[in-house]
Amino acid sequence: MTPPSPRHCLVTGANRGLGLEFVRQLLDRGDRVVATCRQPGRANALNQLTGEYPGRLHVLPLDVAEPKSQAELVRELPLVLGDDARLDLLVNNAGVLHSGERFGKVAAATLDDSLRTNATGPFLLTQSLAPLLADGGKVANLSSELGSIAGKDAFRTPSYSISKAALNMATVLLARALAERGIVVVALHPGWVQTDMGGSGAEVAPEDSAAALLRVIDRAGDGDSGRFLDRHGAPLPW
Ligand code: NAP
């Protein structure tokens, strides 16, 4: 069930791409948003939105791959939300795709960075934020069909694919851990989206993808927790 507005939402990697679009649409529908990014001082689009939605958007620093940065966010969040407020929605959106990897040349540092940003980062962040999540709240993990083990037919984007498959497992584990509080956790594939990551030749505009994903998140109930869904709400093979 979707709680009545205004909801409190947190989006990671919110300075550009899909993250920025999530923030725009959540603000537009009346929610209160904590938008996190690595360098708030350089997040021009976000900082402009802060002026357009006074008191409803807070921009905080977060590098999802850094446990220290996560700990600082967890400390700071109650000051921004208010002591009694809880997060109704956490969007683990930040992600990285290192392109150009070839078999025989995959570097440990690239694999490590991908895992920390795309899998262990969102897992640990959700674990740390769990006490601040509202009962009945939702966690959306931005996964990818490239992380589908069943769909893998070529050696392509190995670090990204391994990390998104790990994020899918993290999604299921978090869904089980948070089930008793009615918190729904889903892994979502946004489509091939026109962002810096997807490129200009991609199929879907970020505003359309974010709008579709928000509809899927709104509709998601207890029975959907731990599922891997596309932006139309259809299940994807693990
Ligand atoms: P994008 O345009 O490349 O933006 C990525 C965002 O993640 C940026 O805000 C970036 O911040 C942030 N980020 C990267 N590493 C971070 C870190 N360590 N800590 C905090 N923020 C970090 O990508 P996008 O297309 O919007 O992708 C959003 C999500 O959708 C990702 O999880 C991606 O894997 C997933 N996805 C995208 C597509 C697609 O076609 N675009 C398809 C499937 C899944 P900086 O500006 O600081 O780098």
Side-chain angles (χ1 to χ4, degrees):
M1 215 181 66
T2 308
S5 275
R7 287 158 284 202
H8 289 95
C9 310
L10 189 149
V11 182
T12 67
N15 55 309
R16 58 188 171 99
L18 269 172
L20 180 62
E21 197 48 45
F22 276 119
V23 172
R24 276 206 189 99
Q25 295 190 22
L26 290 168
L27 287 169
D28 197 47
R29 72 190 202 178
D31 290 354
R32 294 174 183 275
V33 182
V34 177
T36 70
C37 59
R38 289 195 273 200
Q39 293 181 287
R42 296 176 65 178
N44 296 339
L46 269 185
N47 292 324
Q48 192 176 329
L49 282 176
T50 312
E52 289 170 30
Y53 295 91
R56 283 209 284 122
L57 172 62
H58 294 276
V59 183
L60 294 180
L62 174 67
D63 184 330
V64 297
E66 292 298 333
K68 261 194 195 159
S69 174
Q70 291 194 11
E72 265 160 45
L73 176 78
V74 173
R75 257 197 310 277
E76 216 169 324
L77 208 50
L79 306 176
V80 166
L81 290 176
D83 279 340
D84 297 330
R86 293 288 175 266
L87 285 172
D88 300 295
L89 172 63
L90 165 62
V91 183
N92 283 311
N93 165 81
V96 68
L97 191 165
H98 294 280
S99 51
E101 292 180 298
R102 298 275 174 276
F103 182 64
K105 303 257 182 213
V106 176
T110 308
L111 194 47
D112 185 50
D113 182 58
S114 305
L115 280 164
R116 280 159 29 109
T117 307
N118 297 344
T120 54
F123 175 78
L124 292 170
L125 181 66
T126 308
Q127 181 176 257
S128 302
L129 288 179
L132 294 175
L133 291 174
D135 290 354
K138 295 183 180 176
V139 178
N141 293 333
L142 267 288
S143 182
S144 169
E145 65 182 0
L146 294 175
S148 167
I149 293 172
K152 196 55 62 184
D153 55 7
F155 189 90
R156 220 155 50 99
T157 58
S159 294
Y160 185 75
S161 299
I162 291 168
S163 64
K164 291 295 186 180
L167 176 65
N168 286 352
M169 175 58 90
T171 301
V172 175
L173 292 170
L174 289 166
R176 302 298 174 253
L178 296 169
E180 62 184 19
R181 293 176 52 201
I183 296 171
V184 172
V185 189
V186 286
L188 300 174
H189 171 59
W192 182 25
V193 190
Q194 293 149 10
T195 60
D196 293 338
M197 186 183 290
S200 56
E203 287 166 353
V204 194
E207 49 273 28
D208 294 337
S209 175
L213 291 171
L214 286 174
R215 281 193 292 275
V216 173
I217 293 166
D218 282 345
R219 280 200 306 263
D222 289 347
D224 297 306
S225 200
R227 296 180 81 195
F228 181 24
L229 304 169
D230 71 11
R231 71 183 189 282
H232 308 294
L236 289 168
W238 295 111

